[in-house]
Amino acid sequence: MKLVGDMLRRPEAAAGLAILVLLALLALLAPVLFPGDPLKIAGRALTAPFTDPAFPLGTDRLGRDVLAGIVHGARTSLFVGLAAALAALAIGLSVGLAAGFAGGIADEALMRVVDAFQIVPSFLLALAFVSVVGASVPVVVLAIALGAWADPARLTRAEVLSVRGRDYVAAARIAGMHPVEIALREILPNVLPPVLALSAIIVATAILTEAALSFLGLGDPNVVTWGSMIAEGRNVLRSSPFLSIFPGLALVATVVGVYLLSEGLTNALAGEASVERKKPRRVGKSPPLPCRASPPQGGRSASGGNPAQPEAPEVGETALHPISPLEGEMPGRAEGGAGAESDRPARRGQEDLLCETQDLSVTYRDQETPALTNLDLAIRAGERLAIIGESGSGKSTFARALAGLLPEGAEVEGTVDWAAGAAPLAGRDLGFVLQDPSASLNPVLTIGEQVAEGARRHLGLSWPEARARALDMLERVRLPEPEKLLAAYPHQLSGGQRQRVAIAAALAARPGLVIADEPTSALDMVVQAEIVALLDDLVRGAGMTLVFITHDIALAAGFADRVAIFKDGALVETGPAAAVLAAPRETYTKMLVASHRDLASPPLVGEIRA
Amino acid sequence: MLIANPTRRSFLQAGAALLASTALPAIALAESAPAGGRLVVAADSEPKNLNPAIVASNGVFFVASKVIEPLAEAAFAGEDGLSPRLATSWEGSDDGLSVTFRLREGVTWHDGKPFTSADVAFSALEVWKPLQNLGRIVFAHLEAVETPDAATAIFRFSRPTPLQLIRNALPVVSSVIPKHLYEGTNIATNPANTQLVGTGPFRFAEYKPGEYYRLTRNEAYWDKEQPKLDEIIFRVLPDRAGAGAALEAEEIQLAAFSAVPLADLDRISKVPGLAVVTRGYEALTYQLVVEINHRRKELADLKVRQAIAHAIDKTFVVDTIFLGYAEAATGPVPKNAPQFYEADVPAYAFDVAKANALLDEAGYAKDANGRRFTLKLRPAPYFNETRQFGDYLRQALAAIGIDAELVNADSAAHQKAVYTDHDFDLAVAPPVFRGDPAISTTILVQSGIPAGVGFSNQGGYANAELDAVIAKAAETIDTAARTALYRQFQKLVAADLPLINVAEWGFITVARDSVLNVASNPRWAVSNWADTALKT
Amino acid sequence: MTRALRLTTRRALSSIPVLLIVVILTFLLLETAAGDAVDAYLLSIGGGDAAIAETLRQAYGLDQSMAARLWLYLSALARLDLGWSVAFDRPVLGLIIERLPNTLLLMGSATALAFAFGSTLGILAGARPGSLRDRLLSTLSLVVYAIPGFWLGLVLAIVFAVQLRWLPTSGIETIASGRTGLSRAADIAAHLVLPVGTLALIYTALFLRVMRAGMAGIWRLDFVLFARAKGLSRVRIVLRHVARNALLPLITMLGLQAAAMLGGSVVIESIFAIPGFGRLAQEAVSGRDAALLCGIIVVSAVLVILVNLLVDIVYAALDPRVGTAERGA
C-alpha cells in the first residue's frame, strides 16, 4: 500500500514502528526467552536490580523475576491494546456502517446509543464493568472496547454519509449490489484509513486503561501485566522504586510508540490528501533566495524573500517605490518593441528593468526533478507580463520564487537580480494574489482586518488609519457597501467578491509589483473577466508592474503586454503578447494557440473593456 | 494470660535493625500522661452504619469504640483477661442459665441522661440478640434481662450458656446504646447509628463524608482522670500508600491496622520520629485460611486436601508475604489464645514430594503437561496479603500438578460467589478469632449453615463427629470441660482438614513518638483510647 | 442570548433519550453483577444471615424485578428525584451535591491551567513546525502524555509533599481547621496543587499536541501563504492567522474530552483522598448501589452536555461561520 510507504518515510512513524516491532518481538519470543510461568516464584524476594545475574532487573515482593514479568507483560499489554482496539473497531464499524446505510429512524436510534456511550466517562464505565463482572483479560478487553467504540462508529457513519452520495456508490446501488457488498467493497476502503489512525489512539488508551484498572486492583491475576506490576510496586514505591519504574518505562515506551505510529499514519493521510491537491506540503520558513545586486546600482546583496525576517531588506524601499507608486505619476510604459527581439536585454541602459533571473532552478524538498530549470527571464517595470503554462509547468514556482514565498526546504540555484538592488519585500513592494479566494482569506478574521493589516504594517499606520485605508481599497476594488464589508467575514461573500478583497489586501500597502497567481481560475467565466479587468485597471491606473500567471492563453491575450510560455519547468518562448500569439515560434506555443483557436473563444477581456 | 508479643520469634529472625526500630511503645502512667491535644489518625474505610451494638466489626469499632463502650474491655493483665468498663463485675450461676452484671454508677450518656440497667437490658434484648452479627450466636438463648435496680442486670438464658463464652465475648458483643434514643424507633435506621451517642471518653462531634470523623473530649466521663486527648480525628485516606505518606509528612500521627503496607515498614521504621508498634492486636487475631469446596469430587478426598496442605510453605508465607509479622498456624485456634490452643495436632510439613505422592495415591495422575486437574481459586480481596497468598497458592499448587485459575472479584462479588453461590473450589479467607472459638470459629466448619451467611462453612463440609463436639461445647458450662472439647475440636479439624489454616497475624500500628500509651491493651486499636496521650 | 437559549433547549430535549439509554444500560450492568446492594451492605457490617438479607431486600425494594425497579427509578427521575442510596442510606441528590463541587474544582482548575499552558506551549511548538523547539516540546509532551496519571500523582506526592513538604499529601483542605474566608481558600488551593498539577500536566501535553497539530495543518493553508505575502510580522502570522484558527479544533476537543476527563479524575481522587465524584462512583460500584451509580452517571452526562453547550457557545464566538450553512449540524 502506498500509504504504508509514505508513512514509513516519516521519522516519527519509523521510530514508533521500531519501538513496537521490538516490543512485539519481545512479546513473541517471551516463551523462548523466559520459559515457564513468569508469575513463578523464582528467587529471593526483593532482589535489587543489577545485583544478581539471574535476575537482571531484580525480583518483586514474592521473588518473581521482574525482567521475565516485563517481557511476558508485553504480551498481555499488547494483546489487551490490540484486542480492545479491534473489538472497538468491529463494533464501531458495524454500528457506523449500519447507521449510515440505514438512515432514518434506525440511524437516529443507533446514534442516540452512540451518544449515550460518548457522554458516559469511559473509564468510569470500564471500572464499573470490570468490578461488576470480574477481572479477567477478556472482561478488561471488553470493558475498554465498550468505552471506545463510539468514536469509530461516529467517524464511520460520517464517512459513509459522505461517500454514499458519490457516483461509484450510487452506480453500485443502481447496479443492484447488495448494501452489505457495497459497504464492504466500496465504502470500507474509504472509511478504513481515518479509522485506523483513530484505532492507534484506542490501542494506547487501552494499554493505559488496563494499567489504571490494575492499579485499582482490577487486573487479571492469572497473567502478568505491566499495570499489575506497577500496582504491586506502588506499595514499596519508596523502598524499591524499581519495581514500578521498570514496568512503568515499558508502558510509557509502548504508548509513545503507538502514538508516534498513529501520528505518522495521520500525517501520511494528510500528506496524501495534499499530494492530490498538488500543493506544496508545507509552507514554513523558506530559504533565502540568492540575489545579486545589479552592478550599476551598486546595491548590496541582501537575503530577501524570507517573511520570517521582514526587517532585513530595508534598502529596497527607496529604490523600488519611486518606480510605480499606486497613486503616483505613471512613468512611460515599455510598449511593444523592447521585448520583441530578446528576452535578455543588456543590463546597462535598460532603465525600465525591474528584475531579471539567470539560470534560476528550484527543486522542492523530497523531489527528484526540479520544478523550475535554468530559467532566464526579465521583468520590466510597469509592464504586464503574462506567464502561461499548464499545471506543473513551473509558473507558480516562478511566482513564489520572485515573491520569496517558496516552501521550506526548496532548493534554489541561479540568481534573481532586482534593479532596486535588493529583493522586494512581500506585501510592501510586492503584492501577491492567490488562485483560490475562498482559501486565501482567513475565515475567522474580518475583511477589514485582513485588508488593513498589510497597510498598517508597511505604511506605518495606526489601526484606525489602516481601517480607513482598507475602506478606500475596498472602494477601489469596486465592492458594494464597503463600510459594511469591513466588519464582514469571508464566508459572507461570493467568490468574485472574495477575490476583490484579496486584491484590495494585496495592494493595500501600495506595492510596485503585483504578482497574480492564477487569480481567476477558481471563478466562473463572467467573474473571471471582471476580475482581470479590475486588476488591469488598477495596475494601469497606478502604473504598477503586473505578473499575471495563467493557464488560459485567451485570458492573457486580452490584456498582457508580454507573454512568457512555460512548459515542464522551463521557458519555451517569450515576447510581446501580440507577436507571440500571432506568430508563435515554438511548436508548443503553436499548439497552445491552435487549441485556443479551435475553441473559438473570443478575447473576453478585450470585449468587456471595449 | 495472653501472649504479649506473638511476633517476637519473627523479629529475631528479621534481624537487629528491625528489632531496634520496633521498640516497645512508650507507656506512661495514666496519672502522669499529659492532657490535651488533637490526635489525627488514618482511617481507610467509612462504615455506613457506625453502631457497634449492631455491627460488631473492627472497621466500626475503630471509630465507635471511643464513643460507645462495652461492659468490659480486654486487658493484658486482669481477671479473665478483662478490665471493667460499664460493668464492674460479672458472675454466672452454676447451671449456666443466668449471669449477673453489676453496673458502674454515676455514668451519664453524652446527652446528659443517666446510664442505667434499663439501657443494658434494652441493648441486649433489642439489639445484640436479634440484630448483631455476633450477638445472635452468643446470646442465642438469652430470654430475659432482669433489672432489680439501676445498677444490676441479670441475664436469663433458656439453655445453659457458658460464662467463659460470655466473658470472652464481652469486649466485642456488649456495646451499650441509649434506650431513650432507640426505644420505639426502627433501630436499624435510627439516626443515632451515624450520630453516635454513648458513654465513652469521647463524644461524636462531626462526620464529613470522604474527609474525616471528629471526636471531642467527654468532660463528663466517669473516669475523672480521662480522657487525656482533647480531640481525635479519623482522617479518611482510601489509598493504601496515603497513610505512610501522611505519617511522614506529619499530617497524621498514627496509622493502625497495617494501613502502612508491610513491605514499607522496614523503611518507615527508620524515619526519625516514627515508631512501628506490633502490640495491641493480641485479641484481634486474623487467620489466613484456605476454604475448600467439598462438593468438588477431588477436594472431597482427604488425601487431596492433605496434599494441598503439604504443598504450602508456611515459612515462605510468614517470612515473605507477611515479612515476619505473622505466625504459622497449626489449626483453627491461634497460638495467642492459650486458654484454648492445642499444639498437639496433626501437622503438615512443607513437602512437595509427599504431596505429589498423596495425589498419585488418590488416583489423580499427572497428564502429559504435568497437570492433574484444574481448580478455581478465589482469594478474598480485603487484604493485600490475602491476594498475595492467592498468587503464591497458585504457584504452590502448580508445583504439585494442580492448575489453579485465580478469580479476582470485588468484595460484594466475592462474598456472593463464595458464601451464597458456592462458585469456588478453593478460596482464601481472613476470618477473625474473637477470643472464643464459639463466636466466629466453629461456624467455619460446622454443617447445616444456610447459604448466604458470610464467613461460615459454605464448602458443603459435613462431619457428624465434629458437629457433635461443637454442639456439646456450646452448652458445656464447666470451663475445663469446655476447653477440653475445643482442644478436641482443633485435633479433628487439623486431621480432617475441612479447611486449611495457614497463618495467623495481628496488625501493625505506625505512630509518631509523641503518641503515648499506644497498645495499652490487646484490642487497643478498637478500644476507647481514654489513656492515649500526646507528648507536648 | 436567545440563540444560546434555543441551543440549550434543543440540546436538553435531544439528550433525554440519551439519558434514558444511559440509565437503562447502568441498570443492566448492575443487574449482571454478582451480589446486590444488600450483599454489599451485609459484607460491610461483617456478615449476616439469609433472613436479614431478605428483610433488607424488601425494605429497599430490591426484591422486585429489574423492570419494576427501573420503572420506579425512571418515574422518580422524571420528577427530578434521583432516588435513595442504599449504600449510604441517604438521598442520592445530597451525596452528589456534597461531592460534585470538589470534582468540579479539581477538573475546572486542571482544565483551565492545562488550556492556558497547553495552548501557549502549543503555539510555541507550532510556530515553527519541525524546529528544534517544536521537536523538543512535541517529544516531551508525548512522553508526559504516555505516563499513567496515577503513577505521576504518586511520584509528585512523594517528592513535593513527603520529601520537600511544600504541599499537603492529600485531602481537599486541612481537616477541621476552622478556617474561613481567604485563609480557607488558600488552604484549599494548597491542597489542590498536586492533584490539579498532575491532571494539568497530562492535559497540558494533550492540549499542546492538539494545538501544535492544528497549527501544523494550518501552516499549509493558502491564507497563511497570503498572510506571508502581505509581509506581516511573524508574530502576527503565528498568533492572528495560524494559532487563532488552530484554537477551533482545540475548543472542539475540550468538548469531546469532557467525559474522559471526568473519568480520569477517579484515580487522582483516590490517590489524593479528595472526596469527589470519581470516588463516589467507585463506592457506588462496590456497594452495588444502582440508584447512586445511575445518579452519578446521569449527572455526569448532564455535565458533559453542559460543557459541550459551553464549548458550542465559545466556538460560535470564535468562528463566525457557525450558524451558516458551512457548519450546520
Side-chain angles (χ1 to χ4, degrees):
Chain A
M1 217 163 92
K2 183 179 166 301
L3 189 64
V4 174
D6 203 22
M7 193 180 79
L8 290 182
R9 270 200 301 280
R10 289 157 199 283
E12 71 271 16
L17 201 68
I19 295 176
L20 293 181
V21 164
L22 189 73
L23 282 164
L25 271 178
L26 273 184
L28 284 174
L29 292 178
V32 182
L33 295 171
F34 298 94
D37 187 350
L39 289 172
K40 193 173 153 65
I41 292 155
R44 200 166 53 84
L46 291 175
T47 308
F50 316 120
T51 54
D52 184 346
F55 308 109
L57 296 186
T59 58
D60 75 355
R61 268 279 280 119
L62 294 184
R64 298 174 288 209
D65 186 359
V66 172
L67 183 60
I70 287 177
V71 171
H72 279 267
R75 283 169 91 85
T76 326
S77 289
L78 290 181
F79 174 79
V80 167
L82 289 176
L86 270 180
L89 223 58
I91 308 174
L93 277 175
S94 335
V95 173
L97 282 174
F101 249 99
I105 291 182
D107 179 28
E108 189 64 25
L110 282 172
M111 289 322 285
R112 290 294 82 78
V113 177
V114 171
D115 281 345
F117 274 89
Q118 253 176 341
I119 58 171
V120 174
S122 53
F123 186 73
L124 219 58
L125 181 68
L127 179 82
F129 191 82
V130 177
S131 333
V132 152
V133 182
S136 67
V137 168
V139 171
V140 169
V141 165
L142 192 62
I144 296 170
L146 275 181
W149 66 273
D151 284 340
R154 193 170 284 281
L155 192 63
T156 308
R157 174 180 173 271
E159 290 284 333
V160 171
L161 290 186
S162 82
V163 247
R164 201 165 66 150
R166 284 191 205 156
D167 294 346
Y168 54 90
V169 177
R173 284 199 143 179
I174 292 164
M177 226 154 125
H178 192 271
V180 174
E181 208 180 338
I182 300 178
L184 290 180
R185 285 178 51 181
E186 310 290 346
I187 294 182
L188 208 56
N190 278 293
V191 172
L192 222 45
V195 172
L196 272 181
L198 181 65
S199 56
I201 305 283
I202 298 178
V203 172
T205 312
I207 292 175
L208 284 174
T209 306
E210 191 275 331
L213 287 174
S214 293
F215 178 79
L216 293 176
L218 295 170
D220 186 331
N222 295 294
V223 293
V224 54
T225 79
W226 293 336
S228 58
M229 290 178 79
I230 297 174
E232 282 261 328
R234 54 93 52 114
N235 279 332
V236 284
L237 192 59
R238 304 287 302 286
S239 48
S240 307
F242 70 91
L243 279 183
S244 58
I245 286 177
F246 290 135
L249 286 178
L251 189 75
V252 170
T254 312
V255 175
V256 165
V258 174
Y259 278 136
L260 284 174
L261 196 68
S262 126
E263 204 165 68
L265 194 65
T266 314
N267 287 346
L269 283 172
E272 210 170 46
S274 75
V275 166
E276 273 166 23
R277 282 190 296 133
K278 296 264 188 258
K279 284 274 165 64
R281 199 163 280 148
R282 181 173 273 176
V283 180
K285 180 179 161 185
S286 62
L289 199 62
C291 282
R292 203 173 68 199
S294 307
Q297 270 81 11
R300 32 199 269 234
S301 154
S303 67
N306 184 357
Q309 288 117 27
E311 302 81 11
E314 286 298 315
V315 270
E317 188 157 19
T318 45
L320 263 167
H321 265 261
I323 302 175
S324 47
L326 188 55
E327 289 96 351
E329 193 187 326
M330 191 172 84
R333 278 178 59 208
E335 285 290 334
E341 54 303 306
S342 162
D343 195 59
R344 295 199 57 186
R347 244 169 258 141
R348 215 170 296 270
Q350 289 285 345
E351 285 303 314
D352 59 347
L353 187 70
L354 180 69
C355 161
E356 184 182 9
T357 68
Q358 280 180 337
D359 274 340
L360 184 67
S361 298
V362 176
T363 312
Y364 288 116
R365 186 160 67 180
D366 302 334
Q367 299 285 317
E368 292 287 310
T369 47
L372 206 60
T373 346
N374 300 17
L375 189 86
D376 295 331
L377 186 66
I379 301 166
R380 296 181 186 120
E383 77 170 337
R384 282 159 300 162
L385 170 67
I387 292 175
I388 301 162
E390 52 201 14
S391 54
S393 63
K395 53 191 196 304
S396 287
T397 304
F398 176 69
R400 293 196 186 179
L402 282 185
L405 294 174
L406 284 172
E408 192 183 358
E411 231 175 85
V412 182
E413 288 166 70
T415 55
V416 180
D417 293 338
W418 293 93
L425 180 57
R428 186 190 61 187
D429 311 326
L430 182 152
F432 202 97
V433 181
L434 291 158
Q435 173 178 347
D436 183 358
S438 53
S440 58
L441 295 179
N442 189 331
V444 301
L445 300 184
T446 58
I447 302 292
E449 180 173 349
Q450 298 193 59
V451 175
E453 59 184 352
R456 182 178 178 274
R457 173 154 181 89
H458 300 299
L459 303 180
L461 305 178
S462 66
W463 272 114
E465 287 165 352
R467 272 179 80 82
R469 169 84 187 140
L471 184 65
D472 183 35
M473 285 311 296
L474 290 178
E475 272 166 8
R476 272 169 194 277
V477 296
R478 296 177 217 133
L479 279 164
E481 300 188 86
E483 293 90 351
K484 266 193 184 169
L485 268 185
L486 283 178
Y489 289 94
H491 71 272
Q492 294 165 313
L493 273 61
S494 71
Q497 288 175 320
R498 285 182 211 168
Q499 197 60 301
R500 284 169 196 267
V501 170
I503 291 169
L507 302 187
R510 304 181 186 121
L513 169 65
V514 179
I515 299 175
D517 185 0
E518 301 224 38
T520 59
S521 34
L523 305 172
D524 64 49
M525 290 289 262
V526 179
V527 181
Q528 279 189 10
E530 286 172 6
I531 293 292
V532 172
L534 172 71
L535 256 178
D536 190 44
D537 257 16
L538 288 171
V539 171
R540 254 177 226 282
M544 289 183 284
T545 311
L546 173 68
V547 176
F548 190 91
I549 288 154
T550 180
H551 62 271
D552 188 341
I553 195 166
L555 198 66
F559 74 103
D561 301 320
R562 221 153 53 89
V563 295
I565 315 286
F566 277 41
K567 185 179 191 299
D568 298 334
L571 180 68
V572 175
E573 76 173 293
T574 176
V580 172
L581 293 179
R585 274 178 297 172
E586 302 293 327
T587 336
Y588 178 69
T589 319
K590 282 178 189 154
M591 204 187 74
L592 271 184
V593 174
S595 67
H596 167 65
R597 295 251 160 82
D598 287 349
L599 289 169
S601 332
L604 284 165
V605 178
E607 274 172 22
I608 283 177
R609 285 220 339 273
Chain B
M1 253 314 278
L2 293 154
I3 293 178
N5 193 337
T7 55
R8 183 164 300 280
R9 185 186 67 89
S10 321
F11 283 173
L12 295 173
Q13 281 177 345
L18 190 60
L19 183 65
S21 64
T22 50
L24 290 177
I27 308 273
L29 291 173
E31 297 75 36
S32 65
R38 168 195 279 183
L39 178 67
V40 186
V41 182
D44 67 342
S45 69
E46 298 166 77
K48 309 308 172 218
N49 184 335
L50 260 187
N51 187 340
I54 300 177
V55 185
S57 78
N58 288 338
V60 169
F61 283 137
F62 188 44
V63 177
S65 60
K66 285 76 188 160
V67 182
I68 293 178
E69 289 184 300
L71 293 176
E73 183 55 279
F76 285 129
E79 199 187 338
D80 306 323
L82 290 174
S83 76
R85 284 285 192 271
L86 288 178
T88 50
S89 72
W90 41 88
E91 200 178 326
S93 65
D94 291 339
D95 57 4
L97 289 175
S98 75
V99 179
T100 303
F101 290 95
R102 290 257 153 239
L103 302 178
R104 194 175 293 278
E105 291 179 62
V107 176
T108 54
W109 294 101
H110 293 155
D111 61 5
K113 298 263 182 359
F115 159 79
T116 68
S117 56
D119 295 311
V120 176
F122 177 83
S123 298
L125 287 171
E126 303 297 325
V127 187
W128 303 344
K129 181 184 174 185
L131 297 177
Q132 192 193 90
N133 50 336
L134 299 175
R136 59 173 61 230
I137 298 165
V138 176
F139 297 110
H141 307 302
L142 180 66
E143 225 175 20
V145 177
E146 290 169 17
T147 50
D149 60 62
T152 309
I154 305 168
F155 285 42
R156 299 263 180 225
F157 296 91
S158 59
R159 294 171 67 182
T161 299
L163 180 64
Q164 187 189 28
L165 169 64
I166 304 282
R167 274 196 318 244
N168 288 337
L170 277 183
V172 182
V173 300
S174 67
S175 303
V176 185
I177 55 172
K179 181 184 180 187
H180 63 274
L181 290 181
Y182 280 91
E183 192 175 30
T185 70
N186 181 346
I187 293 169
T189 60
N190 192 298
N193 291 340
T194 45
Q195 272 294 325
L196 302 177
V197 175
T199 58
F202 296 93
R203 295 161 176 270
F204 190 88
E206 191 185 6
Y207 169 42
K208 277 197 102 177
E211 292 190 64
Y212 62 87
Y213 297 90
R214 189 163 63 91
L215 312 182
T216 53
R217 182 185 158 83
N218 175 14
E219 301 292 347
Y221 189 52
W222 50 263
D223 185 336
K224 299 302 167 211
E225 298 292 327
Q226 291 176 335
K228 297 294 179 190
L229 296 167
D230 285 339
E231 211 171 38
I232 303 175
I233 286 177
F234 293 87
R235 178 160 162 201
V236 178
L237 293 170
D239 189 70
R240 271 178 276 135
L247 267 171
E248 274 190 75
E250 296 187 54
E251 290 175 17
I252 62 172
Q253 290 130 313
L254 188 139
F257 283 111
S258 298
V260 176
L262 294 181
D264 208 26
L265 284 180
D266 186 30
R267 188 192 61 79
I268 215 161
S269 66
K270 298 189 182 87
V271 174
L274 287 179
V276 173
V277 180
T278 57
R279 286 167 49 105
Y281 297 93
E282 291 77 0
L284 299 173
T285 304
Y286 279 66
Q287 299 169 291
L288 186 70
V289 164
V290 180
E291 291 174 317
I292 296 171
N293 193 340
H294 295 262
R295 297 174 187 87
R296 259 302 281 258
K297 160 175 73 72
E298 295 89 340
L299 296 174
D301 186 334
L302 176 60
K303 286 204 173 78
V304 174
R305 302 201 294 272
Q306 287 171 335
I308 294 174
H310 278 298
I312 298 170
D313 181 359
K314 291 177 183 168
T315 314
F316 178 88
V317 174
V318 168
D319 290 348
T320 305
I321 295 177
F322 286 97
L323 292 161
Y325 297 100
E327 281 271 6
T330 56
V333 172
K335 290 194 184 81
N336 62 354
Q339 56 174 320
F340 295 108
Y341 178 68
E342 172 60 63
D344 181 24
V345 297
Y348 301 87
F350 175 52
D351 188 340
V352 175
K354 187 167 181 194
N356 273 312
L358 279 164
L359 288 169
D360 289 338
E361 252 176 71
Y364 298 105
K366 284 185 179 174
D367 68 6
N369 297 322
R371 281 187 203 163
R372 303 174 194 276
F373 51 88
T374 300
L375 293 176
K376 183 185 271 187
L377 170 58
R378 284 185 177 270
Y382 320 124
F383 297 103
N384 258 343
E385 288 75 23
T386 51
R387 286 184 152 200
Q388 270 173 353
F389 177 69
D391 289 347
Y392 165 74
L393 185 57
R394 176 165 177 258
Q395 298 300 326
L397 291 173
I400 58 169
I402 297 174
D403 181 29
E405 186 213 348
L406 284 167
V407 181
N408 245 1
D410 71 357
S411 303
H414 178 83
Q415 187 82 353
K416 178 97 156 81
V418 175
Y419 301 110
T420 304
D421 299 341
H422 309 145
D423 176 26
F424 72 106
D425 296 320
L426 298 177
V428 178
V432 189
F433 184 81
R434 295 179 196 268
D436 193 292
I439 300 175
S440 59
T441 305
T442 54
I443 195 176
L444 297 171
V445 295
Q446 191 182 330
S447 73
I449 294 161
V453 179
F455 309 108
S456 70
N457 170 17
Q458 294 295 341
Y461 177 76
N463 178 339
E465 192 189 355
L466 191 58
D467 284 348
V469 171
I470 294 169
K472 186 143 187 251
E475 47 185 35
T476 300
I477 307 305
D478 178 62
T479 301
R482 185 169 180 269
T483 306
L485 282 168
Y486 281 122
R487 291 185 191 267
Q488 194 191 342
F489 158 81
Q490 292 170 65
K491 287 184 180 179
L492 285 172
V493 169
D496 204 34
L497 294 175
L499 41 72
I500 299 171
N501 282 83
V502 179
E504 298 145 15
W505 83 95
F507 291 96
I508 308 294
T509 301
V510 181
R512 297 215 73 86
D513 295 343
S514 54
V515 188
L516 301 177
N517 291 344
V518 173
S520 54
N521 71 58
R523 288 178 81 243
W524 183 76
V526 293
S527 68
N528 70 11
W529 293 8
D531 60 347
T532 302
L534 279 170
K535 222 187 286 180
T536 40
Chain C
M1 219 43 229
T2 47
R3 215 175 71 83
L5 204 69
R6 245 187 301 126
L7 209 58
T8 318
T9 333
R10 213 189 59 212
R11 282 261 187 186
L13 286 177
S14 69
S15 58
I16 287 175
V18 178
L19 291 177
L20 196 70
I21 294 170
V22 168
V23 169
I24 292 173
L25 287 174
T26 313
F27 257 83
L28 278 176
L29 178 65
L30 284 182
E31 197 58 22
T32 61
D36 63 6
V38 167
D39 290 317
Y41 175 77
L42 286 179
L43 179 74
S44 77
I45 65 165
D49 64 21
I52 295 192
E54 211 33 61
T55 319
L56 283 170
R57 283 202 176 89
Q58 274 170 17
Y60 292 119
L62 289 171
D63 52 338
Q64 300 175 47
S65 73
M66 188 202 123
R69 279 180 288 133
L70 182 60
W71 174 247
L72 260 171
Y73 181 79
L74 287 175
S75 46
L77 195 62
R79 297 187 306 268
L80 295 180
D81 174 4
L82 285 176
W84 189 265
S85 159
V86 177
F88 288 83
D89 215 15
R90 289 179 53 192
V92 169
L93 187 66
L95 280 163
I96 286 177
I97 288 176
E98 218 168 68
R99 305 286 183 105
L100 193 56
N102 290 337
T103 298
L104 287 183
L105 196 59
L106 176 68
M107 300 314 297
S109 21
T111 310
L113 220 62
F115 190 83
F117 282 111
S119 53
T120 310
L121 291 173
I123 291 170
L124 283 178
R128 284 177 200 273
S131 65
L132 184 68
R133 186 175 63 195
D134 173 32
R135 286 205 300 271
L136 222 71
L137 281 171
S138 294
T139 313
L140 197 68
S141 65
L142 189 63
V143 173
V144 170
Y145 193 54
I147 296 177
F150 56 85
W151 205 72
L152 192 63
L154 283 176
V155 172
L156 289 181
I158 285 177
V159 173
F160 292 103
V162 180
Q163 303 280 20
L164 298 171
R165 301 218 189 161
W166 290 350
L167 296 161
T169 58
S170 58
I172 182 83
E173 60 181 311
T174 304
I175 36 177
S177 63
R179 286 173 215 247
T180 49
L182 269 184
S183 128
R184 179 164 179 237
D187 182 48
I188 292 178
H191 278 81
L192 279 176
V193 170
L194 283 176
V196 166
T198 307
L199 282 172
L201 209 58
I202 290 169
Y203 292 140
T204 298
L206 175 66
F207 291 170
L208 187 162
R209 298 190 68 71
V210 172
M211 188 73 190
R212 192 225 157 252
M215 286 180 71
I218 284 158
W219 277 112
R220 301 189 189 110
L221 298 181
D222 274 2
F223 65 78
V224 178
L225 181 67
F226 192 52
R228 290 177 54 207
K230 282 191 267 186
L232 303 178
S233 70
R234 180 85 190 175
V235 172
R236 185 164 175 86
I237 294 178
V238 167
L239 293 181
R240 204 67 188 141
H241 287 276
V242 182
R244 176 68 173 69
N245 277 281
L247 214 52
L248 297 177
L250 188 60
I251 299 280
T252 308
M253 204 235 17
L254 260 183
L256 291 176
Q257 283 285 313
M261 286 182 184
L262 266 178
S265 71
V266 176
V267 184
I268 296 300
E269 283 176 11
S270 153
I271 288 175
F272 290 102
I274 294 174
F277 227 47
R279 250 177 73 203
L280 192 64
Q282 242 180 310
E283 289 169 57
V285 171
S286 66
R288 299 291 187 273
D289 195 336
L292 182 54
L293 191 62
C294 279
I296 290 167
I297 289 184
V298 165
V299 170
S300 54
V302 169
L303 262 180
V304 170
I305 290 169
L306 285 178
V307 167
N308 274 292
L309 187 71
L310 199 68
V311 161
D312 278 356
I313 291 169
V314 172
Y315 197 106
L318 287 176
D319 189 344
R321 288 165 296 183
V322 175
T324 66
E326 283 189 47
R327 208 186 103 101

